[in-house]
Amino acid sequence: MILAAERNIGTGGLAGLKTRELAREIGVANGAVYNLVEDMDELTLRVGSRTLARLDAALTAAESDGTASPRETLVRIAVAYCDFAAENLELWRALFEHRMSPGKPVPEWAISEQMNLFRHIYRPLAELFPQRTPTELGVMARSLFSAVHGMVLLGLEQKLIAVPVIELRKEIAIIVGAMIDGLTARAA
Amino acid sequence: MILAAERNIGTGGLAGLKTRELAREIGVANGAVYNLVEDMDELTLRVGSRTLARLDAALTAAESDGTASPRETLVRIAVAYCDFAAENLELWRALFEHRMSPGKPVPEWAISEQMNLFRHIYRPLAELFPQRTPTELGVMARSLFSAVHGMVLLGLEQKLIAVPVIELRKEIAIIVGAMIDGLTARAA
């Protein structure tokens, strides 16, 4: 069922995820879906978990692609993030668009899976800025991620700002490089 | 009716905009709404137009708040953008979440209103990088905007990354300053 849900989100986004369709696809009665998962939130989070695992693998692959300075590593994972989003557009969007039903908190396991991905940014930053505290590095990782996320989001949006992916990758590399250079100069 | 729609979006987001409610509030029959605007797209764009005008005024105020270097101006308008988003959360989100009905393009007037706001970023960049072409400056303005937008979006999201606005303003100032420094160093 998770695979069927992944296929549906991958094609039609979160709006494409419908209990009735899922039940039909996996060949069970509508109500039986809720014997398999607690609710649609859980199902969406399970799909998100698979997306995050593939993103994790993509970032790891980008890091291990030959030796690189911490600065270069940060540029590489930013570009890899852009590529992943472009190639998994709907599943990637679903990660950010999904809202839990009112009053339900995001489960701990899902939060820690998300947070775990920040290590890709944190590690090279810790190498670059050994004098910073873990809290400061965490803030820096968050800022850097959000900035890259914004460039990818609006760049792939095809609305106000539509950029061909090949251009977007270049722009991201320039901006991430500049941010790191600026932060390094200030720290020196 | 535009004011009523603005109030509804401001409270409940785009999802809060319903023909039936609007008609009731302004005291007309449901069908009569479409004598006043062509469709919900037009109504939403008209509300967006008002939001953009207020954002424009807020950025202009931030720029004219005493003399500042181009770098400082860019930091100020980024922080002003953050403040505006925080204070007009639902109306600001509606600018980015609204999608035209399938097959309908965004009207020219709405695109040019959006593009017109980029002058706030373009001008100080042109001062900082006089050797860049207008196209290069346009790309730089777009990158800078998207990066700041991402930080504001995820920072105010209260989901994966929730940051108090006062912290977010500081982080944005640091990152924008670092980006400009990095870009300036590379251009030198």
Side-chain angles (χ1 to χ4, degrees), chain B residues 155-170:
Chain B
L156 298 179
E157 179 86 20
Q158 313 290 341
K159 201 192 163 194
L160 180 56
I161 295 168
V163 193
V165 176
I166 193 155
E167 288 304 315
L168 188 57
R169 300 171 97 240
K170 270 190 235 165

Side-chain angles (χ1 to χ4, degrees), chain B residues 67-116:
Chain B
T67 47
S69 66
R71 177 191 188 279
E72 177 58 22
T73 301
L74 286 164
V75 171
R76 279 188 193 177
I77 60 171
V79 171
Y81 182 74
C82 173
D83 287 343
F84 183 86
E87 287 157 17
N88 300 272
L89 196 56
E90 293 298 344
L91 286 166
W92 169 74
R93 280 187 182 149
L95 289 176
F96 293 89
E97 287 172 5
H98 173 242
R99 297 284 172 281
M100 298 295 288
S101 310
K104 270 188 72 182
V106 180
E108 276 305 321
W109 66 265
I111 294 176
S112 69
E113 276 184 4
Q114 292 166 352
M115 286 307 158
N116 183 34

Side-chain angles (χ1 to χ4, degrees), chain A residues 1 24 27 51 71 94 96 160:
Chain A
M1 179 158 78
R24 196 178 47 74
T51 310
R71 178 191 188 279
F96 292 89
L160 180 55

